[in-house]
Amino acid sequence: LTSLGYDCTGLDYAKETVEELNRQRPELKIVYGDVRALPFSSDAFIGYWSLGVIEHFWEGYGSIAAEMKRVIKPKGYLFLTFPQLSRLRALKAKFGMYQVWKECATRPEGFYQFGLDARRVTKVFEKQGFRLSELRQKDGVKGAKDEIAFLKPLLQRLYDYKGTNIGIRGIRKLSELLLTPVAGHSVLLVLQKVE
């Protein structure tokens, strides 16, 4: 985005990563910070990209949503991605096919991320003062390969394919179209701050 002329600022919680990026790419603005307490003034940005962040917080993402609202200008946009609780995952959860985490205040060992329900996430952000502009499910092949064990070897090869064979690329595209509504791994929400 910077190379296209946009004034961008990146933020990361890993201090060493920020320092290394600042050494290797000094022309980029990359700062150290916490998404739950952003080091920016209110209404600082017209756009905010959050790619695979909110699902990693055991305590939830309410404070992150509040900070997003604070730093985005009125009528500005939030581009938010996260692993979703797809129809396939919801069905598997209904049948008890996932480990159940006991409620506790501290993050349990082994916790990595939640699969979130896009409708519930949308409602949380609407209560914060955003309006949904677009919702796109993504990565049906990945979602299916991760959730259907007997299909994993075949789908992994399709998922990893980087070649130019038009037939295999067509199969990949068709597979994405068919699998994404049922097994999409992630979702993109485009939300606009209304106030």
Side-chain angles (χ1 to χ4, degrees), residues 34-91:
D34 186 334
V35 292
R36 297 166 292 187
L38 293 166
F40 308 116
S41 62
S42 296
D43 301 333
F45 302 104
I46 192 71
Y48 185 122
W49 287 84
S50 176
L51 307 174
V53 175
I54 67 171
E55 69 273 11
H56 296 288
F57 290 82
W58 175 258
E59 66 279 5
Y61 52 87
S63 61
I64 302 169
E67 277 294 274
M68 290 171 169
K69 179 186 179 193
R70 184 183 68 77
V71 301
I72 297 173
K73 293 179 181 183
K75 306 232 188 257
Y77 285 91
L78 169 61
F79 302 88
L80 181 67
T81 69
F82 51 87
Q84 71 169 335
L85 185 64
S86 66
R87 291 178 182 164
L88 176 59
R89 287 177 176 152
L91 182 65

